């Protein structure tokens, strides 16, 4: 009995120090966060097309992992049509702002802004290796969702990109990278053929800019994926993705 009591005390002490959580997956969200994220997911700022991908993208888990909260200043890199950007904009309101970076003007993002439903969303047309607009305040969060491998294929100076992101973030700010998993040890060899990238290579590149790995999450993991095909050739089978949260 005394031994069990000591064990319980040890577990509580580890949890209080944050040590126990290092070996576990990140929690989805606290109850208050769940309510906040549910409102963002249901926001009219998001389109029906946005919602079609919710089962695969798991927006509530994404927002929780990125530690999104109202008032944050966020840059969404390689924003495409703005699916992630609109979700972030809904989640950081009120008081927060989101900048959606694209290589060239995005008609879908322009339509979102013109609709008036996302007043805190701003378009940034710039090279991804120099994505920081002059009028941006210090940032709380930068995200790149399933596009880091595309940056490799561009090509651009990723070292310069990661360093500029580091410099643009506030101390303690987060850089969240989500991408399609390549086989361990494959490096950059699958970025064009399979549109996948080795997680270890992303960590190596980003930490060279000064970041530290703050957490990883399994919310998009699919252990059954052999990581030998592009996701669009998998005939509906789940594809494996990694999620890494870096901190300045």
């Amino acid at each position: 009995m005394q031994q069990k009591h000591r064990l319980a005390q040890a577990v509580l002490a580890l949890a209080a120090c944050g040590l126990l959580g290092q070996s576990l997956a990140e929690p989805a969200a606290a109850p208050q966060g769940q309510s906040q994220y549910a409102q963002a997911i249901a926001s009219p700022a998001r389109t029906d097309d946005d919602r079609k991908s919710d089962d695969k993208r798991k927006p509530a888990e994404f927002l929780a992992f990125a530690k999104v909260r109202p008032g944050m200043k966020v840059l969404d890199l390689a924003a495409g049509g703005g699916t992630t950007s609109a979700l972030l904009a809904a989640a950081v309101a009120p008081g927060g702002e989101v900048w959606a970076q694209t290589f060239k003007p995005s008609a879908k993002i322009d339509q979102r802004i013109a609709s008036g439903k996302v007043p805190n969303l701003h378009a940034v047309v710039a090279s991804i290796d120099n994505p920081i607009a002059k009028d941006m305040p210090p940032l709380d969060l930068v995200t790149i969702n399933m596009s880091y491998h595309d940056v490799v294929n561009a090509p651009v100076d990723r070292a310069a990109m990661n360093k500029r992101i580091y410099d643009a973030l506030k101390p303690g700010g987060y850089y969240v990278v989500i991408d399609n998993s390549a086989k361990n040890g494959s490096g950059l060899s699958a970025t064009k053929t399979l549109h996948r990238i080795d997680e270890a290579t992303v960590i190596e590149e980003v930490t060279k800019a000064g970041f530290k790995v703050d957490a990883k999450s399994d919310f998009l993991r699919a252990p059954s994926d052999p990581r030998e095909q592009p996701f669009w050739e998998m005939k509906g089978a789940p594809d494996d993705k990694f999620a890494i949260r870096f901190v300045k």
Side-chain angles (χ1 to χ4, degrees), residues 78 103 128 144 147-158 161:
F103 293 94
I128 200 168
I144 182 165
S147 292
Y148 197 98
H149 72 273
D150 288 323
V151 178
V152 175
N153 298 336
V156 298
D157 187 339
R158 298 188 302 284
M161 176 188 81

Side-chain angles (χ1 to χ4, degrees), residues 84-229:
T84 300
S85 305
L87 174 68
L88 288 165
V92 301
E97 296 180 89
V98 174
W99 287 263
Q101 179 272 336
T102 54
F103 293 94
K104 58 184 180 180
S106 167
K108 288 185 176 180
I109 290 177
D110 290 344
Q111 288 169 7
R112 292 179 192 273
I113 294 171
S115 74
K117 295 178 181 179
V118 206
N120 60 338
L121 179 64
H122 315 284
V124 176
V125 179
S127 171
I128 200 168
D129 56 350
N130 192 14
I132 311 302
K134 291 181 180 179
D135 60 345
M136 277 186 198
L139 299 170
D140 299 288
L141 172 67
V142 176
T143 60
I144 182 165
N145 200 347
M146 292 178 283
S147 292
Y148 197 98
H149 72 273
D150 288 323
V151 178
V152 175
N153 298 336
V156 298
D157 187 339
R158 298 188 302 284
M161 176 188 81
N162 289 325
K163 185 62 169 66
R164 286 182 175 122
I165 291 166
Y166 183 89
D167 291 342
L169 281 163
K170 298 176 183 177
Y174 295 120
Y175 180 22
V176 172
V177 181
I178 295 172
D179 216 327
N180 309 307
S181 303
K183 289 185 175 181
N184 294 342
S186 62
L188 303 176
S189 63
T191 59
K192 285 186 178 180
T193 55
L194 305 181
H195 287 262
R196 297 173 179 263
I197 190 167
D198 185 2
E199 177 181 354
T201 300
V202 174
I203 292 173
E204 179 183 0
E205 291 191 357
V206 174
T207 53
K208 281 182 179 177
F211 287 99
K212 294 182 179 179
V213 175
D214 187 56
K216 300 179 184 181
S217 180
D218 295 338
F219 76 95
L220 293 172
R221 286 294 190 187
S224 61
D225 179 6
R227 294 180 276 180
E228 295 173 346
Q229 294 175 295

